[in-house]
Amino acid sequence: MDFQLKTLTVARAAAEKSDVLIVLVGSAPLTAKDPLSALIASARKAGDLPDKAGKLLALYRPETVVPSRVLLAAIGDGKAASVRSAVSAAVAAAKANGPKRVVIVFAQPADAAAVAAAVTAAADASYVYTTTKSKAEPRSIRHLTLAVSEAASPAVTKAFDDARATVAGIELAKEWGNRPANHATPTLLAEAAKGLAKLPRIKCEVLGPKEVDKLGMGAFAAVAQGSAEPLRFIVLRYQGGAKDEAPVVLVGKGITFDTGGVSLKPAAEMDEMKFDMCGAASVLGTFRALGAIQPAINVVGLIPSCENMNDGKAVKPGDVVTSMSGQTIEILNTDAEGRLILCDALTYAERFKPAAVVDIATLTGACIIALGHHTSGLFTRHDEAHDALAQELLDAGKQAGDVAWRFPLGENYNEQLKSNFADLANIGTPGAASITAACFLENFTRKYTWAHLDIAGTAWKSGAAKGATGRPVPLLTTFLLNRV
Ligand code: BES
Ligand code: MN
Ligand code: ZN
């Protein structure tokens, strides 16, 4: 889908050729005298378009308007969240007629955040997955014009460009998240990462089982050993800043399928464990966005990727492995595999002398119990540097409409990870499972400033709308751009 930003009044937008014209109507009264604006004002007056974000009114062949279908969508206060819900509803409704060309016009002045929200919401509502369907019906919308009534300020233009780049990243993350595990093996994920290295300033290196063994990544290797698919360790670099500038390191959990291993998961909904690489997909997506935006910052992406399978060679409950950090781990539950692959990647991150490290993982079912599907879990230590990093991530999430919520972390919880046979157990005693998972990771991050995002509830949707969301690409991209 190609996006364009234009300066058009409602009257001018009504004269543009399109299959659907969507008019975003805010609370302030419309003063323009053209026929469409007058029609909107009268619909408002009659109470047919309530002033509540997301309310719609469909018009068919209104006089003097070129497109035969017009959808009025209320955006209330015009804030980003309101625009997001209005554009989602309007594009979802417009989709039914398979429009190719869509124009969305703001009837009142729009700020940068509103413009960005309109772009990401329109893309989200029109996305279709096609890769493994034999008769795929791709997304109908080919051209989407977003129109603002006043000449776009540099801030609005920048917000539009960044949002369009973020959409490319979100859609890459959705694509890899949605692909079934037999179409998204660690090897294929690594190929996708190599593909990103075609973008300017991006480099990619991929390590296999031999290199990983040589590095001493015993925890990562233990998870992979039950699978016929070889593991991959993906190292991406984006260099937009000075050579000696410390990078931000993003570490994404790349379990392409999580059966639970010997600690087998129940059959119901196990298919959804193909989404257990959504942390990795969010790193790929963020690099896609960086490649398009080319900001002046250095970023490293690390993706440990493998399957968690049940097999004669699989790791067993009670096995003790040695991580790259030297710390030994008693694997009490083979289904707590995410932290095992991440801990070695987090140790590997030390070599970049990072400004900050953020790991992103579909780590715990307990995070869904705590936060549901709206909010990602955020965990960091509690000191000045970490409070600042946490705040940056929370702010970026708010800004991007991709919110997170901070949990506590600390010594009391570390007590829960004691083992009689190793330095650490890979699961905690009952209670606070999301926090003890983060605590486990914390033991491998003492050499730098670090944050952990648990995206188990936000990376995909279940039920009828089953599919990857592309989150938290918006949060991560915004966080990085705010650092420039
Ligand atoms: N990938 C899962 C976490 C998960 C579960 C995400 C359900 C989304 C929905 C992770 O590897 C896992 O299995 N975690 C266990 C940890 C437990 C064994 C301590 C969990 O959450 O049950
Ligand atoms: Mn698991
Ligand atoms: Zn998992």
Side-chain angles (χ1 to χ4, degrees):
M1 180 163 54
D2 101 72
F3 281 102
Q4 262 198 85
L5 180 65
K6 275 195 181 174
T7 307
L8 295 175
T9 58
V10 168
R12 294 284 303 281
E16 290 267 308
K17 259 191 86 176
S18 68
D19 299 311
V20 193
L21 169 63
I22 296 171
V23 187
L24 304 178
V25 185
S27 302
L30 289 188
T31 50
K33 292 289 175 262
D34 62 281
L36 184 53
S37 296
L39 194 57
I40 296 168
S42 78
R44 253 289 143 76
K45 218 169 161 190
D48 285 325
L49 181 65
D51 184 23
K52 185 171 183 294
K55 289 286 178 192
L56 303 178
L57 179 62
L59 313 176
Y60 187 63
R61 291 194 191 280
E63 268 180 63
T64 77
V65 174
V66 172
S68 56
R69 291 190 175 85
V70 179
L71 256 180
L72 309 182
I75 56 169
D77 57 15
K79 292 210 171 111
S82 308
V83 171
R84 204 168 288 121
S85 64
V87 172
S88 297
V91 172
K95 261 196 319 199
N97 302 105
K100 290 200 172 63
R101 192 174 284 275
V102 175
V103 175
I104 301 179
V105 61
F106 281 94
Q108 285 99 345
D111 62 18
V115 165
V119 172
T120 46
D124 192 60
S126 60
Y127 170 86
V128 238
Y129 170 78
T130 59
T131 310
T132 44
K133 297 211 178 167
S134 69
K135 290 181 201 74
E137 276 195 44
R139 138 198 273 153
S140 76
I141 304 177
R142 289 288 139 78
H143 308 284
L144 194 137
T145 302
L146 186 67
V148 288
S149 52
E150 293 166 341
S153 65
V156 164
T157 309
K158 169 101 173 79
F160 176 82
D161 290 342
D162 290 353
R164 191 167 51 174
T166 306
V167 164
I170 292 169
E171 296 197 348
L172 184 73
K174 284 187 180 181
E175 170 65 22
W176 284 96
N178 285 334
R179 283 196 192 192
N182 63 330
H183 293 262
T185 60
T187 305
L188 288 168
L189 216 55
E191 293 304 319
K194 282 185 197 157
L196 287 171
K198 293 198 183 94
L199 296 169
R201 296 170 161 173
I202 295 182
K203 288 204 180 89
C204 178
E205 188 191 347
V206 177
L207 312 184
K210 273 191 199 131
E211 289 107 322
V212 160
D213 277 342
K214 213 163 155 202
L215 284 163
M217 293 182 164
F220 179 20
V223 176
Q225 79 194 30
S227 170
E229 287 291 340
L231 66 76
R232 291 290 181 261
F233 188 73
I234 303 166
V235 183
L236 278 159
R237 284 165 210 250
Y238 169 80
Q239 204 192 348
K243 257 218 153 70
D244 57 352
E245 192 186 297
V248 172
V249 180
L250 304 177
V251 182
K253 172 177 172 182
I255 293 290
T256 57
F257 197 80
D258 182 10
T259 66
V262 173
S263 313
L264 191 64
K265 285 186 180 294
E269 283 151 31
M270 205 207 273
D271 67 291
E272 294 193 8
M273 283 300 118
K274 72 173 185 177
F275 293 116
D276 212 16
M277 35 57 71
C278 281
S282 78
V283 174
L284 296 180
T286 301
F287 270 75
R288 176 72 189 80
L290 290 172
I293 301 169
Q294 297 284 307
I297 187 174
N298 293 339
V299 185
V300 172
L302 301 178
I303 297 174
S305 181
C306 67
E307 291 181 335
N308 185 23
M309 297 291 284
N310 205 340
D311 179 78
K313 286 193 184 127
V315 72
K316 302 168 293 298
D319 284 2
V320 173
V321 298
T322 304
S323 66
M324 184 180 175
S325 72
Q327 295 174 90
T328 59
I329 303 162
E330 184 185 14
I331 301 178
L332 286 173
N333 189 319
T334 63
D335 198 12
E337 85 297 339
R339 61 199 81 180
L340 295 172
I341 70 168
L342 289 169
C343 71
D344 282 338
L346 289 166
T347 301
Y348 189 87
E350 288 171 5
R351 68 185 55 200
F352 300 101
K353 301 194 169 46
V357 178
V358 181
D359 79 73
I360 310 102
T362 49
L363 204 63
T364 63
C367 196
I368 312 176
I369 307 290
L371 295 174
H373 298 281
H374 304 294
T375 312
S376 302
L378 170 66
F379 306 76
T380 74
R381 282 183 283 274
H382 298 277
D383 58 35
E384 219 173 295
H386 286 87
D387 290 348
L389 176 62
Q391 199 56 51
E392 269 184 73
L393 288 160
L394 293 171
D395 289 346
K398 260 197 198 152
Q399 207 180 320
D402 183 7
V403 289
W405 189 264
R406 192 176 178 189
F407 281 72
L409 201 67
E411 273 314 310
N412 295 338
Y413 294 104
N414 245 330
E415 291 295 306
Q416 291 181 242
L417 291 170
K418 284 195 167 155
S419 159
N420 289 349
F421 306 104
D423 301 341
L424 277 171
N426 82 324
I427 55 166
T429 52
S434 299
I435 303 178
T436 53
C439 254
F440 178 90
L441 298 177
E442 192 275 332
N443 285 281
F444 301 83
T445 61
R446 301 260 167 92
K447 301 217 167 113
Y448 46 71
T449 311
W450 156 83
H452 158 60
L453 283 168
D454 194 331
I455 58 165
T458 52
W460 77 87
K461 290 182 179 152
S462 307
K466 192 190 287 181
T469 60
R471 291 178 67 180
V473 171
L475 181 156
L476 294 170
T477 306
T478 305
F479 160 71
L480 292 171
L481 293 181
N482 286 350
R483 282 204 149 216
V484 176

